[in-house]
Amino acid sequence: MNIVHVLLSGGIGSRLWPLSRKHSPKQYLGLFDGQSLFEMTVQRNQQVAEQVIVVGNKDNTHLSHKAMVSCGLPYKNIVEATPRNTAAAIAFAAFSVNPDDILIVTPSDHMISGAEAYKRAMDEGIEKAKEGFIVTFGIRPTRPETGYGYIEFNGDEVKSFREKPNQDTAEDFIEKGNFLWNSGMFCFQASVFLEELKKYEPLVFEKAHLVWEASKEGFLDEELSLSIPSISVDYAVMERSKKIRVVPTSFEWSDLGSFESLYDYFISNGYPKDDQGNIVIGTDIFTGFVGLKRTIFVHTKDAFLIIQKEKSQDVKKIYNMLEKHQSKLLD
């Protein structure tokens, strides 16, 4: 029984445009003392896993390879020809290992602090996985956040999964005290996950298995892949299986999914700001802010973004507009 870290690296990070682009997504940006979130995730999981599988896409497999070389680790590479969501991505990893191997599945673009607390949580998850459970890791919320999904829990039992709430509902969750943020990290035996996927989404299981059987050195066929239903692992398995358990965690966590969360991380680590909390990212050119508070000025070679911290979620609207017009600014 091997402990295998499965790194999901296919995301684009659209809410961090223009820093994050299709060909240089946020998980590969060296914004954190020269390191990327991808590299930090690999290093963090070295303390609990013996092997690494990277599941990414054809557009950025060269970036994950470069990062893995930087980390000095061998790894198994699974390259999707077209994105089919997380249920299929995790299935490919499960097909590629021994049935009794335990997979620790994590995104490649989250920021986590507290190595000892992280290892304790993963060790607890591994023990539950050995008992045949599918484990999710919940983050104790520090504020009524509307950008995250929630897990309603009692002990290690999951009572329900909740989609991203509005402000009033998020405040109600915090007041009740039995809700956790959904971290998007999981732990299970490969065979247990595949059994549950086959039970609840047999078409995803069947089509993903056909794609995996036809793969060549980890590269997946595009035409075959298009037949796989695009379904998240949350909907396919986590919200439906009777084998789910949760590990409430005590480490610090952020998905760094918006400029608001990136701002908070930077400021907490001494990033320079002016007297009104305004910051500049991407240039050393003097930038003055007049009459503005908590504004983020993002400078890249071909685009500027000026955004109020609290409106960070709306960056997705700019991304969607550029995507609609097939702009090269997304590349």
Side-chain angles (χ1 to χ4, degrees):
M1 180 184 290
N2 299 307
I3 311 298
V4 183
H5 175 210
V6 178
L7 199 57
L8 303 180
S9 65
I12 296 172
S14 57
R15 287 177 295 168
L16 285 182
W17 180 90
L19 292 180
S20 186
R21 308 289 182 100
K22 288 180 179 179
H23 292 100
S24 57
K26 68 169 181 174
Q27 59 266 33
Y28 301 108
L29 302 176
L31 296 173
F32 310 96
D33 294 327
Q35 280 197 307
S36 69
L37 293 171
F38 184 104
E39 292 168 327
M40 295 165 75
T41 305
V42 171
Q43 292 163 5
R44 180 166 58 247
N45 285 278
Q46 275 187 268
Q47 62 182 331
V48 292
E50 303 141 358
Q51 300 174 19
V52 182
I53 296 174
V54 176
V55 185
N57 62 56
K58 61 183 180 181
D59 291 331
N60 60 33
T61 185
H62 64 291
L63 296 174
S64 57
H65 178 70
K66 181 180 178 181
M68 291 302 297
V69 169
S70 176
C71 292
L73 291 176
Y75 71 105
K76 182 182 294 184
N77 196 26
I78 298 176
V79 183
E80 293 182 296
T82 182
R84 305 314 294 160
N85 218 316
T86 50
I90 295 170
F92 297 139
F95 286 132
S96 76
V97 299
N98 296 321
D100 62 348
D101 284 350
I102 289 178
L103 306 184
I104 296 173
V105 181
T106 76
S108 59
D109 57 356
H110 291 183
M111 175 62 70
I112 291 175
S113 302
E116 291 184 9
Y118 183 82
K119 186 176 188 307
R120 283 197 303 271
M122 292 300 127
D123 287 344
E124 184 178 345
I126 290 167
E127 290 306 308
K128 292 182 186 298
K130 288 178 179 177
E131 297 171 16
F133 293 114
I134 294 177
V135 181
T136 184
F137 298 89
I139 310 298
R140 297 189 186 278
T142 57
R143 61 186 183 278
E145 173 63 56
T146 60
Y148 301 152
Y150 284 74
I151 301 169
E152 184 182 11
F153 76 109
N154 182 19
D156 70 347
E157 294 189 2
V158 175
K159 298 178 68 177
S160 69
F161 287 90
R162 304 293 184 89
E163 297 298 323
K164 297 175 182 178
N166 60 31
Q167 186 66 30
D168 289 343
T169 304
E171 290 174 2
D172 185 51
F173 287 169
I174 301 301
E175 188 175 335
K176 287 181 177 177
N178 64 328
F179 284 84
L180 303 165
W181 287 335
N182 188 346
S183 72
M185 299 190 295
F186 314 104
C187 181
F188 42 72
Q189 278 190 318
S191 59
V192 173
F193 175 80
L194 291 174
E195 286 166 7
E196 294 298 274
L197 181 64
K198 187 175 183 179
K199 178 179 180 180
Y200 293 104
E201 287 292 340
L203 192 60
V204 174
F205 175 90
E206 175 190 339
K207 296 296 185 181
H209 189 247
L210 286 173
V211 170
W212 179 250
E213 288 295 302
S215 66
K216 297 178 181 178
E217 298 182 347
F219 284 79
L220 309 181
D221 181 82
E222 182 172 3
E223 187 174 348
L224 289 176
S225 296
L226 288 170
S227 68
I228 305 172
S230 180
I231 298 174
S232 73
V233 68
D234 290 316
Y235 176 75
V237 175
M238 304 307 295
E239 296 177 9
R240 300 155 84 181
S241 173
K242 303 297 187 290
K243 297 183 178 181
I244 307 300
R245 292 292 184 271
V246 63
V247 173
T249 65
S250 57
F251 50 77
E252 293 182 25
W253 172 91
S254 171
D255 73 345
L256 291 185
S258 68
F259 278 107
E260 181 171 15
S261 55
L262 187 64
Y263 177 102
D264 289 340
Y265 174 81
F266 278 169
I267 295 303
S268 67
N269 285 272
Y271 196 86
K273 65 181 190 302
D274 70 11
D275 292 342
Q276 299 301 317
N278 302 302
I279 70 169
V280 177
I281 300 174
T283 181
D284 293 327
I285 297 173
F286 173 78
T287 304
F289 298 85
V290 179
L292 300 172
K293 295 182 178 180
R294 296 183 302 280
T295 299
I296 305 166
F297 175 70
V298 184
H299 181 288
T300 69
K301 65 180 181 181
D302 58 358
F304 299 151
L305 177 70
I306 302 166
I307 184 169
Q308 188 178 12
K309 178 196 171 192
E310 290 78 10
K311 299 292 185 181
S312 292
Q313 297 291 338
D314 291 341
V315 172
K316 188 70 180 287
K317 295 178 181 178
I318 296 178
Y319 185 95
N320 291 341
M321 180 269 291
L322 292 171
E323 189 170 47
K324 181 179 178 181
H325 292 90
Q326 300 182 323
S327 173
K328 294 183 178 180
L329 290 172
L330 300 184
D331 294 338

